[in-house]
Every structure is written in C-alpha cells, then in structure tokens.
Amino acid sequence: MLSKSQAKAFFIGGTLIFGSIFIALTIDSMKQVPTRTHEEKMTAQVVRGKKIWDKNNCMGCHTLFGEGAYYAPELTKAFDRRGGPWLKVFLKDPEAMFPGQRKMVNYHFNDAQIEEVIAFLKWCGEVDLNGFPAKPPLRDLMIKPAAASSTPAVSRAAGPQPGIFGALCVACHSIGGQGGAVGTALDSVFARKTRDEIAIWIADPAKVKPGTLMPKLPLAQDQIDSLADYLTSFGGAR
C-alpha cells in the first residue's frame, strides 16, 4: 500500500515520463511528415485538386486515408489501381463507364479540373502510410484470372499490355491471364470476330448489343483502329 505522498509522486512521475514519451513521438512524427507525404510533389495542381475534392464533398461518399464515408470505394490508391487514362475517362462521365450501375454524380468537370483531381489522387497514392490500405483479399483473383480463354494455336505472353488496351481495357478484360476478370478474356477474340466487327463493337457496344454493360468509350477513330489491330494481331497464327 502506497502512502499518500508516494502515490502522489508515482502519479506525477508517471505523468512526466509518459508525457515526455508522447511529446517525443509527436515531434518525431511531425519531422517525418514532409518525407512520408513527399511534400516536394505537392504542386499547385495537386492543391487545386484537393480544393475540388473538398468543394464537391467527395468524402461524403468516398474514404481517403481511411477517413470519410463508406458508401463508395476507398480512393487512397485509386491512381495505382486504375491509372490516369482510366480515371480521366471515368471522371468525364461516371455513368458511361458503368451503364446502369454507377451512382456517382457527373460533376461536369472540365479537362483542367479532371487533371487536377487526378494529380491529387496520384499524390495521395504516393504518401507512405505504412502499408495502408491493405490489398483486398480477392485482388489477385480479379487482376490475374486463373484461366483465360485461348486457342491452342495462339500463344500470348503475359505482361504489360500496350497503348489504350493497357490504359483502359485491362480494368475489365484480360489477355494472357493479365488484366481484369470483370469482362470476357480476349485472347482469342480474333477467332470469333473479324477486325471490322471488333472495331464496330468498340465504337458503340450498345448499338451492336442493346443492354450490354460495356461502356461506349470516348475514343478517337485512330484509337479504335489501333485496338482492333492489336486484338487481331495474332490472327495470322491460326
């Protein structure tokens, strides 16, 4: 049993010790902030993107660094997951990318504002958060399907896909087992459709198949042609 004076000394001493530890850890954390947040990359464009984020109350639906609402996806690593080109198309018209599914409001951002929001999300994704957010447990199954459609005569090496396909299409489709598992694997699409049929489909999927979930991407004709050429580039191997 401690005497009154001993209890008082114990309380004061403990408070001073643990208070000092807390202050020291706080100072250490503050010193690490510039390095962990890559403060040198916080450009004027990033700051404007943050202002757009706040002005439109994006945290009313999304979380960022674990803070916000949980109605819509967590966006700390959105740039890593999707990439700039995909985000640009999505922010231009959210509903067009997911017909009949997405409930995100179209804020009608202009091109400059879209680039600012993307710059902000890119900066967020590069902040050192000690592994947060953790990768979803099913992420590898979605990004690397166990089985991709293919034909015996055709071999496609797995790896980064070029151009528009690598920037946009891999979010849903895969080739050589690399890409998304939301849409059909496209390893042997050339065996099912001609080059012209593929180009027509890419240009306006809903016109070919009403009710399809594939969006009409805002692609120029040369980009459509490039995609069609890529998807049929191994057709001669049959």
Side-chain angles (χ1 to χ4, degrees):
M1 177 71 71
L2 296 174
S3 65
K4 186 175 182 180
S5 59
Q6 288 175 325
K8 183 178 180 180
F10 181 80
F11 172 76
I12 294 175
T15 300
L16 291 174
I17 291 172
F18 287 103
S20 298
I21 292 174
F22 175 78
I23 292 172
L25 290 174
T26 300
I27 293 173
D28 180 67
S29 296
M30 295 302 293
K31 286 182 177 179
Q32 293 187 43
V33 167
T35 301
R36 287 182 174 272
T37 61
H38 301 288
E39 193 175 77
E40 73 282 358
K41 296 182 180 180
M42 194 181 293
T43 64
Q45 188 182 42
V46 171
V47 173
R48 289 194 296 271
K50 173 63 163 60
K51 290 180 178 178
I52 292 173
W53 173 273
D54 291 336
K55 180 180 179 181
N56 292 281
N57 190 31
C58 299
M59 291 183 75
C61 293
H62 296 279
T63 54
L64 197 63
F65 302 140
E67 296 291 332
Y70 289 85
Y71 176 73
E74 217 284 340
L75 296 182
T76 304
K77 295 293 183 180
F79 187 89
D80 289 345
R81 291 197 307 270
R82 296 297 193 180
W86 192 95
L87 290 173
K88 185 174 183 178
V89 172
F90 178 77
L91 289 171
K92 196 73 174 179
D93 189 351
E95 292 187 0
M97 289 296 286
F98 295 90
Q101 297 182 65
R102 289 286 176 179
K103 294 180 174 62
M104 179 171 163
V105 176
N106 187 342
Y107 291 99
H108 302 288
F109 295 136
N110 59 41
D111 291 342
Q113 290 173 319
I114 289 173
E115 292 294 344
E116 289 163 358
V117 172
I118 292 174
F120 171 63
L121 292 176
K122 182 176 185 295
W123 176 83
C124 291
E126 294 175 348
V127 172
D128 183 357
L129 299 173
N130 289 323
F132 177 87
K135 293 182 179 179
L138 299 180
R139 181 179 183 274
D140 289 341
L141 294 178
M142 295 300 293
I143 299 301
K144 299 178 181 179
S149 65
S150 61
T151 57
V154 178
S155 174
R156 288 183 184 269
Q161 307 299 342
I164 297 298
F165 191 92
L168 296 176
C169 307
V170 292
C172 295
H173 298 282
S174 68
I175 281 184
Q178 298 295 316
V182 178
T184 306
L186 299 178
D187 302 73
S188 59
V189 65
F190 66 83
R192 304 189 300 273
K193 295 182 179 294
T194 66
R195 187 261 184 209
D196 289 342
E197 288 174 332
I198 292 174
I200 292 172
W201 169 263
I202 295 171
D204 193 347
K207 186 175 181 180
V208 178
K209 184 180 179 181
T212 181
L213 295 180
M214 179 169 169
K216 179 180 179 180
L217 298 174
L219 300 175
Q221 188 58 49
D222 62 325
Q223 293 174 314
I224 293 173
D225 291 338
S226 177
L227 272 174
D229 290 339
Y230 171 66
L231 293 173
T232 55
S233 61
F234 287 80
R238 287 182 293 172

